[in-house]
Amino acid sequence: MQKPTVPSPESIPLTRHSGHKLIQLANGQWSLHCTEVSETYHPVIGPESEAEQLYAGQIHIERMNSLSEFVVWDIGLGGAANALSVINAASNYTGKLQLYSFEHNLEPLILALENSDKLPYIQPFIQIIHKLLSHRLLEFQYGSAHIKWQIIYGDFPEWLNRYTSHSTEESFAVPPPAAIFYDAFSPKKNPDMYTLDIFKKLRVALDDNIPCLLASYSRATLLRTTLLLAGFYVGRGAATGEKEETTVASNSLALLKNPLPISWLERVRRSTSAEPLYSPIYLQEPLSQKHWEKLLLAPQFQANISLFDKENKERKY
Ligand SMILES: C[S@@+](CC[C@H](N)C(=O)[O-])C[C@H]1O[C@@H](n2cnc3c(N)ncnc32)[C@H](O)[C@@H]1O
């Protein structure tokens, strides 16, 4: 089989499109803002704390003690707050962190570097990020941990298609993850990244011998039904600022502290936006009868399904 190769730095443009700026949050901290989609990165409590609470803090990084390598897929590298939060967390463990950062626009990272005076989280890593931008792949020691950090440049859905078809070098070059940061703007602004097809492929990409925890800041019913229908277990994720909860998903129920209970299906029943996206077009629709029936078969609800009201089960639309 052909040996995997890393794309040459010259083949990757640094800027795909413009449209980012720094903005100051209500708490005084600075964060990146994408004017193209009108969304602010880590908008509630700022990049450093939000990355720690929602991403590095939820993936059970203590598993580094038992896994020979701890693989993280950082989907939506952006200004690297999530990536750096996991590097910081890993530095307390003796082990190997393999961090794959997926991104189709390196402008936010460059902007973050240029404004490091406003973004303290990036300051200890300025040299490392400069090297990463030139080589796209970097290995270094940080605290007790050995870090391998690689940028996978390009459109994530396209990459995932190639990855899951096992037909290309990607399948060999990138190992299945123990954690996924899913941080790619909202379903409304970036529907390409929230189709049922994407999450089914993401589920297929996991190795069920490696429990994997996916963290997303969204708590949308649409995202949760999509994850369940794609074959994930789904739970309530950590709160952040005034946001009461976020979403976590896994191929192992044991990794979820707060799996969605069967009573959550009542919310699905009432929701006007629960049907998964079939194509990269944002639509808000109640869950279809076909998907309602599939949802009831989700393994995480099966143990308790007899407790669920028969009337709900046979609901007609
Ligand atoms: C909210 S920002 C991520 C913030 C980042 N995790 C951080 O810690 O700073 C979303 C990122 O996802 C990237 N993105 C969106 N759609 C993508 C796609 N189809 N393929 C690859 N990257 C994508 C955007 O370019 C953007 O940088």
Side-chain angles (χ1 to χ4, degrees):
M1 275 177 207
Q2 218 188 348
K3 199 173 177 300
T5 53
V6 177
S8 76
E10 301 75 41
S11 65
I12 302 169
L14 281 184
T15 303
R16 182 173 179 266
H17 46 67
S18 59
H20 281 82
K21 62 180 182 182
L22 265 283
I23 63 161
Q24 199 161 21
L25 305 175
N27 66 3
Q29 292 195 20
W30 290 86
S31 196
L32 289 161
H33 176 87
C34 178
T35 47
E36 198 181 334
V37 296
S38 276
E39 281 193 12
T40 301
Y41 297 10
H42 310 103
V44 188
I45 49 173
E48 193 164 354
S49 314
E50 199 168 310
E52 275 169 24
Q53 286 179 18
L54 297 195
Y55 297 97
Q58 296 206 93
I59 58 172
H60 299 280
I61 193 140
E62 67 283 357
R63 291 181 291 150
M64 270 184 81
N65 283 331
S66 52
L67 291 169
S68 60
E69 47 189 40
F70 191 81
V71 178
V72 177
W73 288 13
D74 166 39
I75 301 169
L77 165 68
N82 297 349
L84 297 178
S85 76
V86 75
I87 291 175
N88 275 320
S91 68
N92 300 315
Y93 296 89
T94 309
K96 186 168 184 183
L97 171 69
Q98 290 206 43
L99 176 58
Y100 294 91
S101 289
F102 296 86
E103 185 52 74
H104 65 175
N105 177 15
L106 295 172
E107 184 196 83
L109 188 55
I110 293 164
L111 192 67
L113 273 182
E114 287 168 357
N115 290 276
S116 57
D117 55 323
K118 294 192 173 76
L119 299 169
Y121 73 86
I122 218 162
Q123 288 164 9
F125 295 96
I126 289 174
Q127 296 309 323
I128 284 175
I129 293 174
H130 274 293
K131 281 189 195 152
L132 183 72
L133 281 168
S134 356
H135 304 295
R136 308 299 146 123
L137 172 64
L138 201 59
E139 296 208 34
F140 54 98
Q141 192 69 23
Y142 199 70
S144 312
H146 181 83
I147 315 285
K148 179 182 168 196
W149 190 7
Q150 183 171 352
I151 294 178
I152 311 280
Y153 179 82
D155 180 59
F156 180 71
E158 280 176 16
W159 179 88
L160 191 61
N161 256 330
R162 295 196 301 275
Y163 186 81
T164 49
S165 68
H166 300 290
S167 59
T168 56
E169 64 193 38
E170 273 94 349
S171 315
F172 306 105
V174 178
I180 299 174
F181 299 159
Y182 209 83
D183 190 11
F185 298 128
S186 63
K188 186 174 181 182
K189 298 292 175 64
N190 199 7
D192 303 50
M193 291 290 280
Y194 290 89
T195 60
L196 180 57
D197 184 56
I198 294 271
F199 287 103
K200 279 185 173 168
K201 289 195 171 116
L202 205 49
R203 181 65 187 83
V204 164
L206 304 185
D207 174 347
D208 282 344
N209 295 314
I210 305 171
C212 175
L213 197 289
L214 175 150
S216 161
Y217 68 87
S218 172
R219 56 169 294 182
T221 305
L222 180 153
L223 172 66
R224 291 174 170 185
T225 53
T226 304
L227 284 163
L228 283 159
L229 291 167
F232 287 88
Y233 295 99
V234 178
R236 299 198 161 104
T240 172
E242 68 262 13
K243 203 169 184 188
E244 287 159 17
E245 62 186 67
T246 51
T247 297
V248 285
S250 182
N251 55 348
S252 160
L253 193 55
L255 271 193
L256 300 182
K257 276 194 199 145
N258 290 307
L260 294 176
I262 199 151
S263 56
W264 173 81
L265 290 172
E266 293 288 353
R267 177 186 285 272
V268 176
R269 200 169 66 132
R270 289 193 307 271
S271 174
T272 53
S273 180
E275 183 69 358
L277 305 180
Y278 294 99
S279 68
I281 297 168
Y282 184 66
L283 287 176
Q284 292 186 295
E285 289 174 342
L287 197 68
S288 60
Q289 179 70 26
K290 177 181 92 174
H291 281 143
W292 173 256
E293 283 163 14
K294 280 195 176 162
L295 206 58
L296 295 176
L297 296 175
Q300 96 179 56
F301 301 132
Q302 273 303 295
N304 292 320
I305 202 74
S306 57
L307 302 174
F308 200 62
D309 186 357
K310 193 167 182 289
E311 194 185 306
N312 285 328
K313 204 173 166 185
E314 290 169 357
R315 173 177 65 110
K316 294 281 176 273
Y317 285 77

